[in-house]
Amino acid sequence: MSSQKPHILVILGPTASGKTNVACNAALKLDGEIISADSRQVYKFMDIGTGKDIEEYTIDGQPIPYHLIDIKEPGYKYNIAEFQLDFIQALNDIVSRGKTPILCGGSGLYLEAALKGSSYLGIPMNEERRGELEKLGLEELQVIFEGLSEQVKRDLNNETKRRVIRAIIVDEYLKENPNFKTVDIPDFDFTIIGVDVSREVRRNKITKRLKHRVENGMIEEVEWLLQNYLTYDDLEYYGLEYKWIGQYLKKEISKEEMVRQLNIAIHQFSKRQMTWFRRMEKNGYNIHWVDGDISLKEKVDEVCNIYSAV
C-alpha cells in the first residue's frame, strides 16, 4: 500500500461461518491481532453461550492476541458508544506496535460503528431514563423512535429494544446538549472480506454446534451465571441462548422445546446477519466474499492475497 494510514483487515460472516478461525489463521500469516466486533463476547464467564471458542486463538501452539473479549463483568450493560471508544484504543495500540489490525465479527451494527464512527461516541447512558424505557414494550418504544430526529434515526436503528432505548437516550441528550461533538474515528483504510457459507451448510453447522454446546456445558454455564452474576431479566437482555435457557431453567418450557426454539432463533439471527451485510453492500461497502465451503488453507490464502493486493 502506498498510503501511510493504518490498513485494517475486516473479516465478517454470519454465525457458524468459521470467520474466527479464518481470522486467527490470517493473523498468524499477517502478524496481526484480532479486534472482536461482538456485543456479547465482551463479558467474562459468558463463554459457551456467546461462542467465544477461545481455543481458536491458538494456532500451532502460538497464541493470537485478541482485544475486546472478556473486558466486562456479566450484568454490565455494554453499549455501542463504549465499543467505539474501545475499538479506537485497541486499534491505536495494535498500530503503534507495527501489527496488522484484524476486525472480526458478525454484528453488522458493531462493524459499521467501527468503520464509520457515527453512533455518537461519548454520550453517556442515562441509567434512570433507561430504567423507565425498559418498562415499555418494543412497539411502544418504536412509536417514540419515530418521533426522533431524522439524523438519529438514520445513524441508529430500532431493530431491538436495547437499540431503540439507546437511540431515544441519544436523541434526548442531543436536544439538551446541542453543542455536543462526536469523537472522530482515526483515519484508516480497510479491506472487508466476508466468509460466505451456503445456506444449507450454515444451517447444518448451526444445528450441530448448538447440540454440541448444550451437551458440553452451556446450560451449566447459565446456571452458574445465575448463581453468581445475573438475574433472569439479565438473561432476557443478553438474548438468544441466554433467553431460551433461562426459560428452561424457570421450567417454563422443556429442554427439548428450548433446544428447538433456540435452534430456530439462531437460524433467524443468521439470516438477519446476512441481510445486514447485503445492506452494507448496497450502501457502498465493498465486501470481497470468499467461499466458506473450501478448505481452511484455501480461505486463508485467498484472504491474505486480497488484503495484500489492496
Side-chain angles (χ1 to χ4, degrees), residues 90-307:
L91 174 62
N92 289 337
D93 174 42
I94 294 168
V95 171
S96 72
R97 290 181 284 104
K99 306 295 184 179
T100 301
I102 302 177
L103 180 65
C104 177
S107 169
L109 179 67
Y110 273 52
L111 290 163
E112 285 198 71
L115 298 178
K116 70 179 183 180
S118 61
S119 293
Y120 307 103
L121 292 177
I123 292 183
M125 176 56 75
N126 185 329
E127 296 296 340
E128 181 179 354
R129 179 60 170 148
R130 176 165 67 182
E132 296 171 355
L133 294 170
E134 284 182 342
K135 297 175 183 177
L136 303 178
L138 180 57
E139 291 186 2
E140 295 174 284
L141 291 169
Q142 287 176 334
V143 171
I144 300 175
F145 181 88
E146 290 306 313
L148 304 184
S149 71
E150 293 301 318
Q151 182 68 41
V152 169
K153 286 194 291 185
R154 279 196 301 270
D155 290 343
L156 303 176
N157 71 69
N158 63 343
E159 290 188 353
T160 67
K161 186 173 180 178
R162 178 171 56 177
R163 291 172 185 172
V164 177
I165 290 173
R166 176 61 181 168
I168 294 170
I169 289 174
V170 164
D171 190 76
E172 292 174 349
Y173 181 90
L174 292 174
K175 287 174 181 174
E176 296 173 0
N177 300 272
N179 296 323
F180 173 80
K181 301 295 183 184
T182 58
V183 177
D184 291 331
I185 297 289
D187 192 19
F188 55 77
D189 294 314
F190 56 84
T191 298
I192 306 177
I193 299 176
V195 181
D196 186 16
V197 179
S198 63
R199 183 177 302 177
E200 190 60 33
V201 170
R202 187 167 75 243
R203 290 182 63 85
N204 290 337
K205 283 186 174 182
I206 288 172
T207 300
K208 182 178 179 181
R209 187 179 68 173
L210 174 59
K211 181 175 183 293
H212 175 79
R213 289 177 175 174
V214 169
E215 293 174 350
N216 288 273
M218 185 161 67
I219 295 173
E220 290 78 7
E221 175 178 280
V222 176
E223 288 179 313
W224 184 88
L225 287 165
L226 283 168
Q227 293 169 5
N228 293 277
Y229 282 97
L230 304 181
T231 66
Y232 282 106
D233 286 342
D234 290 328
L235 295 182
E236 289 283 333
Y237 175 84
Y238 294 120
L240 282 178
E241 293 84 356
Y242 298 97
K243 169 186 173 181
W244 289 104
I245 292 175
Q247 290 186 17
Y248 162 65
L249 293 175
K250 286 192 291 184
K251 303 188 186 310
E252 295 178 352
I253 56 176
S254 67
K255 184 176 180 179
E256 292 74 19
E257 181 66 7
M258 178 270 288
V259 173
R260 189 183 74 83
Q261 292 286 358
L262 179 52
N263 192 43
I264 292 171
I266 296 173
H267 287 305
Q268 292 172 337
F269 173 66
S270 174
K271 184 177 180 181
R272 290 196 301 273
Q273 287 178 300
M274 289 304 300
T275 298
W276 189 296
F277 300 147
R278 300 305 183 192
R279 185 187 63 78
M280 287 177 66
E281 290 183 297
K282 290 179 181 178
N283 289 342
Y285 288 94
N286 181 24
I287 301 178
H288 304 268
W289 292 98
V290 300
D291 184 356
D293 298 333
I294 62 178
S295 72
L296 175 62
K297 182 181 184 305
E298 289 175 302
K299 287 195 287 278
V300 173
D301 287 345
E302 187 172 350
V303 165
C304 294
N305 287 340
I306 293 171
Y307 174 75

